[in-house]
Amino acid sequence: MAEVVDTVLRPVIPVLELVRDLLNSLCAGKEPWQVMIYTCASTLVAVAAYNFIFQEEPITVRAKRTFFKIMRMIPQVKRKIDEQLSSTLIYIRKEKNTHLGGQDYVQYLPKQGLAKDELMIELNKYKALDRGNWQDGWVSGMVYNGQMDLTDIMSTTYGMFAWSNPLHPEVFPNVVKMEAEIVRMTCNMFNGGPKAVGTMSTGGTESILLVCMAYRNMIQEKRGVKFPEIIVPITAHAAFDKAAHILRMKITHIPVDPITCKVDMKAMRRAIGRKTCMLVGSAPGFPHGVIDPIQEIAELGMNNNIPVHVDACLGGFLIAFMGKAGYPIEPFDFQVPGVTSISADTHKYGYAPKGSSVIMYSDAKFRHYQFFQQVNWPGGVYATPTLGGSRAGAIIAACWSAMMFMGESGYVDATRKIITTARYIIEELRKNDHITVMGDPQVSVVAIKSDRFDVYRLVDKLHTRGYTLNPLQFPASIHLCVTLVHTKKGVADRFVKDIRELTTEIMKNPDLKAVGQAAVYGLAQSVPDRSLVKELASMYLDSCYSTDNSSPAANGVA
Ligand SMILES: *Cc1c(COP(=O)(O)O)cnc(C)c1O
């Protein structure tokens, strides 16, 4: 032992002596109080520098922001930007007014409540603003089922349970039972076994927030990590960014392979650290509809003792039935060792009304970290499973009805129709040389890009034919999310034909740039100052809440 210490320390001793001499010469001639003050001051400076460099946001991001802030102080730059912003604002308002057909806003409560027939007249005016074009497959995603029999069942159910609230199980044991049954049926769909548990939530975003919170609470309690980190593919839903923001966690985005659009496993492995509290894979991801390598992510999580979440919000109620529908895919659920949680939205392909989703855990120990209890509140012992307090029992009931009405055979049938249609569209689009289908989409989303023309021009042209597709960025691309409405006869063929005609038309002048709404997406993607894009987006949100359709400056829209 002594020898080891000797051989290790011997070469270090001269260095230490050198340091000592250096420090002594620095302090030579100084009085002890000076040495103390200098020591304290330099420690404080070092701590301040450390805190400045290592913040939640990396220093590079902050430096860039400061740079743009300074740039915007230059009068010419400022004027140019303000011009651009206000012309965009005028554009946003014009679009909105067109959608509203110039109708005025209600600003005050009616002095006297409306009679039912008067109310119906008003409601019908609002109903008429719904373009209704989703029914014939002109929009991507949004309405996942839309069939009248299901609509009727859900409306009736809503009416029957309109006043119910699962916050009060003693009064509304019915909706509490329904929620438990929805969770159990969903856990069984995902091969969770008897140990799997879950809760419902108001949507995918809440489900994701809850699971991030559970894993954050767990690592904080077990290992005392103050600011835990989550690791997600760059293609994972923005709800993870929102969750990280709200929960004050660091989020690391892992790039995806440019060809397969699947997460880069090597990069994910390298990103893992002491503070990592969860790994995420999407099944499938929203942008390109591609399923991440769930088995590899789960194995990585298991080897590092990190929980793994599978985000199946979008396609959960498709992939769970794909095997039975004749389109087998690789295992993605609780059968895969290492998968500790799954989110699946009942309000997407579960065909339930908006405001419902399910979050599942492989074991009750994880769910406990999601619960909240305040046992000292004068209002009573307060305990809730999710973010809300009171919750809409009627939505739970309507979701229950949708699932019971569909049944396994209903979901399998719908899945078969949707996947068959999506595969047909993919196959047809692959024949078009002007565009590229991104990755190998297995489920219902098909994303395309083009290296021959500005793909946002295709958004423009599709728009004039009546389509509403999703524009994507980094890289510029667009996607169609196939739902039951697209499985109607002729819809897929019309879409494929329209794409063929429009791309041919575009290729006559391949170098033109997009105009109108599509140009905004191009612009938003190319602006290096991302804070400007944020400003634009919040201007847009302001405009949604503005109840004045005359002046652009009204109601907080500046
Ligand atoms: C839609 C979606 C979400 C979020 O769901 P919301 O219900 O819109 O909050 C999460 N992940 C994926 C992959 C989605 O497509």
Side-chain angles (χ1 to χ4, degrees):
M1 186 65 199
E3 273 163 47
V4 175
V5 172
D6 198 50
T7 47
V8 172
L9 280 188
R10 191 174 293 282
V12 183
I13 288 170
V15 179
L16 290 177
E17 279 172 351
L18 212 73
V19 173
R20 186 190 61 194
D21 291 346
L22 187 75
L23 288 176
N24 279 341
S25 71
L26 274 176
C27 298
K30 302 245 172 6
E31 292 185 28
W33 69 267
Q34 284 176 310
V35 175
M36 279 165 65
I37 294 285
Y38 290 154
T39 308
C40 290
S42 54
T43 307
L44 288 177
V45 168
V47 169
Y50 181 89
N51 283 340
F52 176 75
I53 295 166
F54 300 100
Q55 288 177 18
E56 265 178 86
E57 251 184 340
I59 190 162
T60 45
V61 174
R62 282 176 289 141
K64 221 164 106 183
R65 195 167 50 227
T66 311
F67 170 76
F68 286 120
K69 228 189 219 163
I70 294 169
M71 289 294 286
R72 284 182 73 177
M73 285 191 227
I74 302 169
Q76 289 91 330
V77 177
K78 184 175 171 355
R79 185 154 16 93
K80 193 93 196 126
I81 288 174
D82 288 348
E83 268 170 33
Q84 273 289 334
L85 285 178
S86 71
S87 79
T88 310
L89 180 62
I90 290 167
Y91 176 79
I92 292 174
R93 295 197 62 96
K94 217 173 73 195
E95 277 284 292
K96 182 177 152 188
N97 278 341
T98 333
H99 290 150
L100 292 181
Q103 285 185 22
D104 281 335
Y105 280 90
V106 176
Q107 309 268 1
Y108 299 98
L109 271 177
K111 281 274 178 275
Q112 215 112 73
L114 303 187
K116 191 180 172 188
D117 51 344
E118 292 171 316
L119 190 61
M120 284 317 294
I121 293 173
E122 289 304 310
L123 280 174
N124 279 317
K125 286 191 203 157
Y126 285 81
K127 180 66 189 161
L129 293 177
D130 177 344
R131 284 173 66 207
N133 59 351
W134 55 263
Q135 302 193 36
D136 303 306
W138 295 96
V139 309
S140 167
M142 286 192 225
V143 180
Y144 291 82
N145 183 297
Q147 291 183 348
M148 217 44 222
D149 47 359
L150 185 55
T151 313
D152 283 343
I153 281 167
M154 292 196 304
S155 318
T156 309
T157 311
Y158 193 98
M160 287 173 70
F161 295 89
W163 300 99
S164 67
N165 179 356
L167 187 64
H168 306 291
E170 68 290 357
V171 183
F172 302 109
N174 41 17
V175 289
V176 175
K177 178 166 185 274
M178 283 167 161
E179 179 178 0
E181 289 170 352
I182 290 169
V183 171
R184 181 56 50 211
M185 287 190 280
T186 316
C187 284
N188 286 334
M189 274 167 48
F190 288 89
N191 295 301
K195 282 181 82 182
V197 298
T199 70
M200 284 189 75
S201 79
T202 58
T205 300
E206 189 187 346
S207 289
I208 286 168
L209 184 75
L210 290 170
V211 71
C212 290
M213 185 180 75
Y215 293 145
R216 182 198 70 164
N217 293 350
M218 190 170 93
I219 200 173
Q220 283 180 334
E221 188 191 293
K222 282 191 163 172
R223 305 225 311 265
V225 176
K226 247 197 220 155
F227 295 112
E229 299 176 3
I230 61 177
I231 295 179
V232 309
I234 186 81
T235 46
H237 198 274
F240 288 98
D241 299 83
K242 197 184 212 174
H245 175 73
I246 293 172
L247 299 167
R248 296 203 62 197
M249 293 201 282
K250 185 179 165 203
I251 179 165
T252 302
H253 299 104
I254 307 298
V256 296
D257 181 281
I259 302 299
T260 65
C261 298
K262 292 182 186 196
V263 69
D264 177 346
M265 287 310 298
K266 275 207 199 105
M268 185 174 262
R269 190 168 294 117
R270 275 198 307 271
I272 290 178
R274 200 182 60 82
K275 299 177 181 174
T276 307
C277 73
M278 83 191 281
L279 305 179
V280 173
S282 310
F286 173 83
H288 317 117
V290 166
I291 302 179
D292 284 313
I294 300 300
Q295 295 178 87
E296 287 177 55
I297 299 174
E299 197 186 326
L300 185 61
M302 212 162 46
N303 292 342
N304 291 277
N305 201 16
I306 300 170
V308 171
H309 179 71
V310 174
D311 179 17
C313 277
L314 177 63
F317 276 73
L318 291 175
I319 55 176
F321 302 109
M322 278 177 70
K324 289 205 168 88
Y327 293 103
I329 51 172
E330 281 182 19
F332 54 85
D333 60 15
F334 289 122
Q335 278 177 312
V336 179
V339 170
T340 53
S341 53
I342 302 175
S343 51
D345 284 357
T346 38
H347 72 190
K348 284 182 176 161
Y349 292 100
Y351 313 127
K354 289 286 181 273
S356 65
S357 168
V358 178
I359 171 74
M360 294 162 272
Y361 299 94
S362 60
D363 194 294
K365 71 180 181 201
F366 298 116
R367 185 176 64 177
H368 283 158
Y369 289 100
Q370 180 190 305
F371 292 163
F372 174 83
Q373 306 90 3
Q374 162 57 293
V375 294
N376 301 323
W377 185 40
V381 171
Y382 184 85
T384 55
T386 63
L387 285 188
S390 291
R391 291 186 293 146
I395 294 289
I396 294 171
C399 176
W400 186 90
S401 276
M403 289 175 72
M404 297 298 281
F405 176 72
M406 293 297 297
E408 187 180 84
S409 66
Y411 283 120
V412 169
D413 268 355
T415 301
R416 186 182 300 113
K417 283 185 189 153
I418 289 169
I419 305 299
T420 307
T421 307
R423 299 267 166 113
Y424 170 74
I425 291 175
I426 292 162
E427 193 186 320
E428 289 298 309
L429 293 181
R430 281 202 173 121
K431 294 179 188 161
N432 188 327
D433 291 336
H434 307 313
I435 53 177
T436 315
V437 171
M438 298 173 77
D440 181 22
Q442 299 273 304
V443 196
S444 61
V445 169
V446 47
I448 54 178
K449 61 179 181 178
S450 175
D451 7 285
R452 302 197 178 170
F453 62 87
D454 175 1
V455 78
Y456 294 134
R457 280 179 70 204
L458 189 54
V459 180
D460 255 349
K461 300 233 174 233
L462 283 164
H463 199 73
T464 53
R465 289 209 177 178
Y467 288 98
T468 305
L469 263 61
N470 302 71
L472 316 168
Q473 53 178 355
F474 309 122
S477 42
I478 57 178
H479 89 203
L480 173 77
C481 175
V482 177
T483 74
L484 210 55
V485 295
H486 301 99
T487 65
K488 285 186 201 161
K489 206 168 152 47
V491 173
D493 277 318
R494 183 192 66 207
F495 178 72
V496 169
K497 178 175 128 302
D498 283 332
I499 293 276
R500 198 181 323 118
E501 288 174 8
L502 293 174
T503 48
T504 311
E505 202 177 306
I506 288 171
M507 283 308 289
K508 287 183 187 152
N509 275 310
D511 297 326
L512 290 184
K513 284 277 154 228
V515 293
Q517 195 171 355
V520 178
Y521 295 117
L523 185 74
Q525 186 176 217
S526 62
V527 173
D529 181 1
R530 304 312 288 167
S531 71
L532 264 181
V533 184
K534 273 193 179 179
E535 227 170 285
L536 266 179
S538 90
M539 245 162 59
Y540 174 78
L541 293 179
D542 274 336
S543 88
C544 292
Y545 286 94
S546 161
T547 50
D548 178 343
N549 50 16
S550 54
S551 103
N555 295 114
V557 183

PDB file of all heavy atoms in Angstrom, residues 5 10-11 35 38 54 110 144 154 157-158 232 265 269 299 321 336 348 374 379 385 397 405 439 455 531:
ATOM      1  N   VAL A   5       1.227   4.293  -2.889  1.00  0.00           N
ATOM      2  CA  VAL A   5       1.099   5.724  -2.600  1.00  0.00           C
ATOM      3  C   VAL A   5       2.381   6.439  -3.011  1.00  0.00           C
ATOM      4  O   VAL A   5       2.361   7.494  -3.645  1.00  0.00           O
ATOM      5  CB  VAL A   5       0.803   5.945  -1.092  1.00  0.00           C
ATOM      6  CG1 VAL A   5       0.874   7.433  -0.753  1.00  0.00           C
ATOM      7  CG2 VAL A   5      -0.567   5.401  -0.748  1.00  0.00           C
ATOM      8  N   ARG A  10       5.052  10.406  -5.750  1.00  0.00           N
ATOM      9  CA  ARG A  10       6.392  10.950  -5.979  1.00  0.00           C
ATOM     10  C   ARG A  10       6.467  11.946  -7.139  1.00  0.00           C
ATOM     11  O   ARG A  10       6.990  13.055  -6.968  1.00  0.00           O
ATOM     12  CB  ARG A  10       7.409   9.814  -6.160  1.00  0.00           C
ATOM     13  CG  ARG A  10       8.854  10.272  -6.129  1.00  0.00           C
ATOM     14  CD  ARG A  10       9.797   9.094  -6.156  1.00  0.00           C
ATOM     15  NE  ARG A  10       9.726   8.294  -4.933  1.00  0.00           N
ATOM     16  CZ  ARG A  10      10.313   8.641  -3.776  1.00  0.00           C
ATOM     17  NH1 ARG A  10      11.018   9.752  -3.693  1.00  0.00           N
ATOM     18  NH2 ARG A  10      10.199   7.861  -2.728  1.00  0.00           N
ATOM     19  N   PRO A  11       5.938  11.586  -8.317  1.00  0.00           N
ATOM     20  CA  PRO A  11       6.040  12.551  -9.436  1.00  0.00           C
ATOM     21  C   PRO A  11       5.211  13.826  -9.210  1.00  0.00           C
ATOM     22  O   PRO A  11       5.491  14.854  -9.815  1.00  0.00           O
ATOM     23  CB  PRO A  11       5.500  11.785 -10.644  1.00  0.00           C
ATOM     24  CG  PRO A  11       4.922  10.540 -10.128  1.00  0.00           C
ATOM     25  CD  PRO A  11       5.264  10.363  -8.708  1.00  0.00           C
ATOM     26  N   VAL A  35      -4.765  38.824   1.860  1.00  0.00           N
ATOM     27  CA  VAL A  35      -4.825  37.465   1.317  1.00  0.00           C
ATOM     28  C   VAL A  35      -6.248  36.917   1.471  1.00  0.00           C
ATOM     29  O   VAL A  35      -6.821  36.335   0.540  1.00  0.00           O
ATOM     30  CB  VAL A  35      -3.812  36.554   2.033  1.00  0.00           C
ATOM     31  CG1 VAL A  35      -3.960  35.112   1.554  1.00  0.00           C
ATOM     32  CG2 VAL A  35      -2.398  37.062   1.806  1.00  0.00           C
ATOM     33  N   TYR A  38      -8.697  38.722  -1.014  1.00  0.00           N
ATOM     34  CA  TYR A  38      -8.483  38.269  -2.392  1.00  0.00           C
ATOM     35  C   TYR A  38      -9.039  36.868  -2.599  1.00  0.00           C
ATOM     36  O   TYR A  38      -9.657  36.555  -3.624  1.00  0.00           O
ATOM     37  CB  TYR A  38      -6.986  38.294  -2.752  1.00  0.00           C
ATOM     38  CG  TYR A  38      -6.420  39.700  -2.881  1.00  0.00           C
ATOM     39  CD1 TYR A  38      -5.058  39.953  -2.674  1.00  0.00           C
ATOM     40  CD2 TYR A  38      -7.245  40.775  -3.215  1.00  0.00           C
ATOM     41  CE1 TYR A  38      -4.537  41.237  -2.797  1.00  0.00           C
ATOM     42  CE2 TYR A  38      -6.735  42.055  -3.329  1.00  0.00           C
ATOM     43  CZ  TYR A  38      -5.380  42.289  -3.109  1.00  0.00           C
ATOM     44  OH  TYR A  38      -4.876  43.546  -3.218  1.00  0.00           O
ATOM     45  N   PHE A  54     -23.005  27.792 -16.797  1.00  0.00           N
ATOM     46  CA  PHE A  54     -23.860  26.605 -16.742  1.00  0.00           C
ATOM     47  C   PHE A  54     -25.241  26.959 -16.227  1.00  0.00           C
ATOM     48  O   PHE A  54     -25.491  26.950 -15.026  1.00  0.00           O
ATOM     49  CB  PHE A  54     -23.210  25.534 -15.863  1.00  0.00           C
ATOM     50  CG  PHE A  54     -21.871  25.103 -16.378  1.00  0.00           C
ATOM     51  CD1 PHE A  54     -20.710  25.603 -15.814  1.00  0.00           C
ATOM     52  CD2 PHE A  54     -21.774  24.226 -17.445  1.00  0.00           C
ATOM     53  CE1 PHE A  54     -19.469  25.210 -16.298  1.00  0.00           C
ATOM     54  CE2 PHE A  54     -20.537  23.844 -17.928  1.00  0.00           C
ATOM     55  CZ  PHE A  54     -19.376  24.337 -17.355  1.00  0.00           C
ATOM     56  N   PRO A 110     -75.448  38.321 -22.484  1.00  0.00           N
ATOM     57  CA  PRO A 110     -76.753  38.881 -22.839  1.00  0.00           C
ATOM     58  C   PRO A 110     -77.495  39.252 -21.543  1.00  0.00           C
ATOM     59  O   PRO A 110     -77.399  38.502 -20.565  1.00  0.00           O
ATOM     60  CB  PRO A 110     -77.451  37.736 -23.574  1.00  0.00           C
ATOM     61  CG  PRO A 110     -76.689  36.513 -23.237  1.00  0.00           C
ATOM     62  CD  PRO A 110     -75.296  36.918 -22.854  1.00  0.00           C
ATOM     63  N   TYR A 144     -60.727  11.788 -36.562  1.00  0.00           N
ATOM     64  CA  TYR A 144     -60.187  10.445 -36.759  1.00  0.00           C
ATOM     65  C   TYR A 144     -61.239   9.429 -37.147  1.00  0.00           C
ATOM     66  O   TYR A 144     -60.927   8.379 -37.671  1.00  0.00           O
ATOM     67  CB  TYR A 144     -59.419  10.007 -35.499  1.00  0.00           C
ATOM     68  CG  TYR A 144     -58.159  10.820 -35.360  1.00  0.00           C
ATOM     69  CD1 TYR A 144     -58.194  12.096 -34.785  1.00  0.00           C
ATOM     70  CD2 TYR A 144     -56.955  10.372 -35.879  1.00  0.00           C
ATOM     71  CE1 TYR A 144     -57.053  12.877 -34.714  1.00  0.00           C
ATOM     72  CE2 TYR A 144     -55.808  11.153 -35.795  1.00  0.00           C
ATOM     73  CZ  TYR A 144     -55.865  12.391 -35.214  1.00  0.00           C
ATOM     74  OH  TYR A 144     -54.737  13.160 -35.158  1.00  0.00           O
ATOM     75  N   MET A 154     -71.954   9.021 -28.665  1.00  0.00           N
ATOM     76  CA  MET A 154     -71.165   9.852 -27.762  1.00  0.00           C
ATOM     77  C   MET A 154     -71.982  11.033 -27.237  1.00  0.00           C
ATOM     78  O   MET A 154     -71.873  11.399 -26.070  1.00  0.00           O
ATOM     79  CB  MET A 154     -69.882  10.319 -28.454  1.00  0.00           C
ATOM     80  CG  MET A 154     -68.934   9.155 -28.713  1.00  0.00           C
ATOM     81  SD  MET A 154     -67.252   9.623 -29.099  1.00  0.00           S
ATOM     82  CE  MET A 154     -67.478  10.700 -30.493  1.00  0.00           C
ATOM     83  N   THR A 157     -74.370   9.711 -24.616  1.00  0.00           N
ATOM     84  CA  THR A 157     -73.633   9.397 -23.394  1.00  0.00           C
ATOM     85  C   THR A 157     -73.273  10.677 -22.651  1.00  0.00           C
ATOM     86  O   THR A 157     -73.415  10.761 -21.429  1.00  0.00           O
ATOM     87  CB  THR A 157     -72.349   8.610 -23.730  1.00  0.00           C
ATOM     88  OG1 THR A 157     -72.680   7.540 -24.599  1.00  0.00           O
ATOM     89  CG2 THR A 157     -71.698   8.072 -22.477  1.00  0.00           C
ATOM     90  N   TYR A 158     -72.821  11.682 -23.400  1.00  0.00           N
ATOM     91  CA  TYR A 158     -72.435  12.940 -22.759  1.00  0.00           C
ATOM     92  C   TYR A 158     -73.614  13.502 -21.965  1.00  0.00           C
ATOM     93  O   TYR A 158     -73.470  13.905 -20.814  1.00  0.00           O
ATOM     94  CB  TYR A 158     -71.948  13.970 -23.787  1.00  0.00           C
ATOM     95  CG  TYR A 158     -71.259  15.142 -23.115  1.00  0.00           C
ATOM     96  CD1 TYR A 158     -69.878  15.196 -23.019  1.00  0.00           C
ATOM     97  CD2 TYR A 158     -72.003  16.164 -22.529  1.00  0.00           C
ATOM     98  CE1 TYR A 158     -69.243  16.237 -22.360  1.00  0.00           C
ATOM     99  CE2 TYR A 158     -71.388  17.206 -21.865  1.00  0.00           C
ATOM    100  CZ  TYR A 158     -70.013  17.249 -21.793  1.00  0.00           C
ATOM    101  OH  TYR A 158     -69.395  18.275 -21.132  1.00  0.00           O
ATOM    102  N   VAL A 232     -35.001  12.723 -25.524  1.00  0.00           N
ATOM    103  CA  VAL A 232     -36.048  12.409 -26.510  1.00  0.00           C
ATOM    104  C   VAL A 232     -35.497  12.543 -27.931  1.00  0.00           C
ATOM    105  O   VAL A 232     -34.614  13.356 -28.170  1.00  0.00           O
ATOM    106  CB  VAL A 232     -37.270  13.359 -26.360  1.00  0.00           C
ATOM    107  CG1 VAL A 232     -37.765  13.403 -24.925  1.00  0.00           C
ATOM    108  CG2 VAL A 232     -36.949  14.768 -26.838  1.00  0.00           C
ATOM    109  N   MET A 265     -29.341   5.812 -32.260  1.00  0.00           N
ATOM    110  CA  MET A 265     -29.140   5.124 -30.979  1.00  0.00           C
ATOM    111  C   MET A 265     -27.783   5.432 -30.355  1.00  0.00           C
ATOM    112  O   MET A 265     -27.647   5.500 -29.138  1.00  0.00           O
ATOM    113  CB  MET A 265     -29.310   3.611 -31.153  1.00  0.00           C
ATOM    114  CG  MET A 265     -30.737   3.165 -31.340  1.00  0.00           C
ATOM    115  SD  MET A 265     -31.890   3.824 -30.111  1.00  0.00           S
ATOM    116  CE  MET A 265     -31.232   3.126 -28.602  1.00  0.00           C
ATOM    117  N   ARG A 269     -27.261   6.906 -26.655  1.00  0.00           N
ATOM    118  CA  ARG A 269     -26.426   6.242 -25.651  1.00  0.00           C
ATOM    119  C   ARG A 269     -25.439   7.244 -25.045  1.00  0.00           C
ATOM    120  O   ARG A 269     -25.259   7.309 -23.840  1.00  0.00           O
ATOM    121  CB  ARG A 269     -25.682   5.086 -26.317  1.00  0.00           C
ATOM    122  CG  ARG A 269     -24.963   4.173 -25.343  1.00  0.00           C
ATOM    123  CD  ARG A 269     -24.479   2.895 -26.013  1.00  0.00           C
ATOM    124  NE  ARG A 269     -25.575   2.058 -26.445  1.00  0.00           N
ATOM    125  CZ  ARG A 269     -25.836   1.735 -27.720  1.00  0.00           C
ATOM    126  NH1 ARG A 269     -25.056   2.198 -28.682  1.00  0.00           N
ATOM    127  NH2 ARG A 269     -26.857   0.973 -28.015  1.00  0.00           N
ATOM    128  N   GLU A 299     -33.832  -1.542 -24.187  1.00  0.00           N
ATOM    129  CA  GLU A 299     -32.656  -2.252 -23.695  1.00  0.00           C
ATOM    130  C   GLU A 299     -31.657  -1.266 -23.080  1.00  0.00           C
ATOM    131  O   GLU A 299     -31.092  -1.507 -22.014  1.00  0.00           O
ATOM    132  CB  GLU A 299     -32.015  -3.021 -24.851  1.00  0.00           C
ATOM    133  CG  GLU A 299     -31.071  -4.085 -24.375  1.00  0.00           C
ATOM    134  CD  GLU A 299     -30.343  -4.745 -25.546  1.00  0.00           C
ATOM    135  OE1 GLU A 299     -30.953  -4.888 -26.627  1.00  0.00           O
ATOM    136  OE2 GLU A 299     -29.160  -5.078 -25.360  1.00  0.00           O
ATOM    137  N   PHE A 321     -53.587  -2.868 -32.871  1.00  0.00           N
ATOM    138  CA  PHE A 321     -54.460  -3.776 -33.648  1.00  0.00           C
ATOM    139  C   PHE A 321     -53.846  -4.176 -34.988  1.00  0.00           C
ATOM    140  O   PHE A 321     -54.476  -4.884 -35.764  1.00  0.00           O
ATOM    141  CB  PHE A 321     -55.819  -3.104 -33.886  1.00  0.00           C
ATOM    142  CG  PHE A 321     -56.509  -2.715 -32.613  1.00  0.00           C
ATOM    143  CD1 PHE A 321     -56.627  -1.385 -32.239  1.00  0.00           C
ATOM    144  CD2 PHE A 321     -57.014  -3.693 -31.760  1.00  0.00           C
ATOM    145  CE1 PHE A 321     -57.252  -1.029 -31.049  1.00  0.00           C
ATOM    146  CE2 PHE A 321     -57.638  -3.347 -30.569  1.00  0.00           C
ATOM    147  CZ  PHE A 321     -57.756  -2.015 -30.212  1.00  0.00           C
ATOM    148  N   VAL A 336     -42.098  -5.680 -24.355  1.00  0.00           N
ATOM    149  CA  VAL A 336     -40.672  -5.399 -24.519  1.00  0.00           C
ATOM    150  C   VAL A 336     -40.098  -5.081 -23.145  1.00  0.00           C
ATOM    151  O   VAL A 336     -40.518  -4.100 -22.518  1.00  0.00           O
ATOM    152  CB  VAL A 336     -40.455  -4.202 -25.467  1.00  0.00           C
ATOM    153  CG1 VAL A 336     -38.968  -3.907 -25.617  1.00  0.00           C
ATOM    154  CG2 VAL A 336     -41.123  -4.442 -26.805  1.00  0.00           C
ATOM    155  N   LYS A 348     -57.645  10.246 -30.312  1.00  0.00           N
ATOM    156  CA  LYS A 348     -57.205  10.161 -31.706  1.00  0.00           C
ATOM    157  C   LYS A 348     -57.829   8.897 -32.300  1.00  0.00           C
ATOM    158  O   LYS A 348     -59.028   8.863 -32.496  1.00  0.00           O
ATOM    159  CB  LYS A 348     -55.688  10.226 -31.780  1.00  0.00           C
ATOM    160  CG  LYS A 348     -55.192  11.679 -31.557  1.00  0.00           C
ATOM    161  CD  LYS A 348     -53.707  11.843 -31.663  1.00  0.00           C
ATOM    162  CE  LYS A 348     -53.335  13.323 -31.524  1.00  0.00           C
ATOM    163  NZ  LYS A 348     -51.909  13.487 -31.184  1.00  0.00           N
ATOM    164  N   GLN A 374     -52.313  16.626  -0.721  1.00  0.00           N
ATOM    165  CA  GLN A 374     -52.114  17.685   0.271  1.00  0.00           C
ATOM    166  C   GLN A 374     -52.997  17.290   1.444  1.00  0.00           C
ATOM    167  O   GLN A 374     -54.218  17.405   1.374  1.00  0.00           O
ATOM    168  CB  GLN A 374     -52.493  19.043  -0.333  1.00  0.00           C
ATOM    169  CG  GLN A 374     -52.765  20.171   0.649  1.00  0.00           C
ATOM    170  CD  GLN A 374     -51.621  20.471   1.596  1.00  0.00           C
ATOM    171  OE1 GLN A 374     -51.278  19.662   2.454  1.00  0.00           O
ATOM    172  NE2 GLN A 374     -51.041  21.646   1.460  1.00  0.00           N
ATOM    173  N   GLY A 379     -59.460  22.495   3.564  1.00  0.00           N
ATOM    174  CA  GLY A 379     -60.574  21.997   2.753  1.00  0.00           C
ATOM    175  C   GLY A 379     -60.713  20.485   2.797  1.00  0.00           C
ATOM    176  O   GLY A 379     -61.562  19.931   2.105  1.00  0.00           O
ATOM    177  N   PRO A 385     -55.256  12.194  -8.971  1.00  0.00           N
ATOM    178  CA  PRO A 385     -54.339  11.369  -9.773  1.00  0.00           C
ATOM    179  C   PRO A 385     -53.654  12.158 -10.897  1.00  0.00           C
ATOM    180  O   PRO A 385     -52.591  11.768 -11.350  1.00  0.00           O
ATOM    181  CB  PRO A 385     -55.260  10.303 -10.359  1.00  0.00           C
ATOM    182  CG  PRO A 385     -56.610  10.963 -10.415  1.00  0.00           C
ATOM    183  CD  PRO A 385     -56.671  11.925  -9.274  1.00  0.00           C
ATOM    184  N   ALA A 397     -67.164   8.989 -19.749  1.00  0.00           N
ATOM    185  CA  ALA A 397     -68.280   8.121 -20.137  1.00  0.00           C
ATOM    186  C   ALA A 397     -68.372   7.998 -21.664  1.00  0.00           C
ATOM    187  O   ALA A 397     -68.558   6.901 -22.202  1.00  0.00           O
ATOM    188  CB  ALA A 397     -69.586   8.665 -19.574  1.00  0.00           C
ATOM    189  N   PHE A 405     -68.442   0.467 -27.986  1.00  0.00           N
ATOM    190  CA  PHE A 405     -69.153   0.428 -29.264  1.00  0.00           C
ATOM    191  C   PHE A 405     -68.255  -0.144 -30.368  1.00  0.00           C
ATOM    192  O   PHE A 405     -68.680  -0.975 -31.161  1.00  0.00           O
ATOM    193  CB  PHE A 405     -69.609   1.843 -29.638  1.00  0.00           C
ATOM    194  CG  PHE A 405     -70.278   1.937 -30.982  1.00  0.00           C
ATOM    195  CD1 PHE A 405     -71.544   1.424 -31.186  1.00  0.00           C
ATOM    196  CD2 PHE A 405     -69.640   2.578 -32.045  1.00  0.00           C
ATOM    197  CE1 PHE A 405     -72.173   1.524 -32.424  1.00  0.00           C
ATOM    198  CE2 PHE A 405     -70.255   2.674 -33.289  1.00  0.00           C
ATOM    199  CZ  PHE A 405     -71.524   2.142 -33.472  1.00  0.00           C
ATOM    200  N   GLY A 439     -38.498   8.317 -44.800  1.00  0.00           N
ATOM    201  CA  GLY A 439     -38.409   7.111 -43.984  1.00  0.00           C
ATOM    202  C   GLY A 439     -39.261   5.991 -44.542  1.00  0.00           C
ATOM    203  O   GLY A 439     -39.629   6.005 -45.734  1.00  0.00           O
ATOM    204  N   VAL A 455     -41.015  22.655 -51.320  1.00  0.00           N
ATOM    205  CA  VAL A 455     -42.160  21.781 -51.047  1.00  0.00           C
ATOM    206  C   VAL A 455     -43.360  22.569 -50.492  1.00  0.00           C
ATOM    207  O   VAL A 455     -44.509  22.138 -50.614  1.00  0.00           O
ATOM    208  CB  VAL A 455     -41.756  20.618 -50.108  1.00  0.00           C
ATOM    209  CG1 VAL A 455     -41.668  21.074 -48.664  1.00  0.00           C
ATOM    210  CG2 VAL A 455     -42.703  19.443 -50.247  1.00  0.00           C
ATOM    211  N   SER A 531     -36.217  33.910 -31.768  1.00  0.00           N
ATOM    212  CA  SER A 531     -37.102  34.685 -30.903  1.00  0.00           C
ATOM    213  C   SER A 531     -38.131  35.455 -31.739  1.00  0.00           C
ATOM    214  O   SER A 531     -39.234  35.728 -31.289  1.00  0.00           O
ATOM    215  CB  SER A 531     -36.301  35.623 -30.018  1.00  0.00           C
ATOM    216  OG  SER A 531     -35.764  36.666 -30.786  1.00  0.00           O
TER     217      SER A 531
END
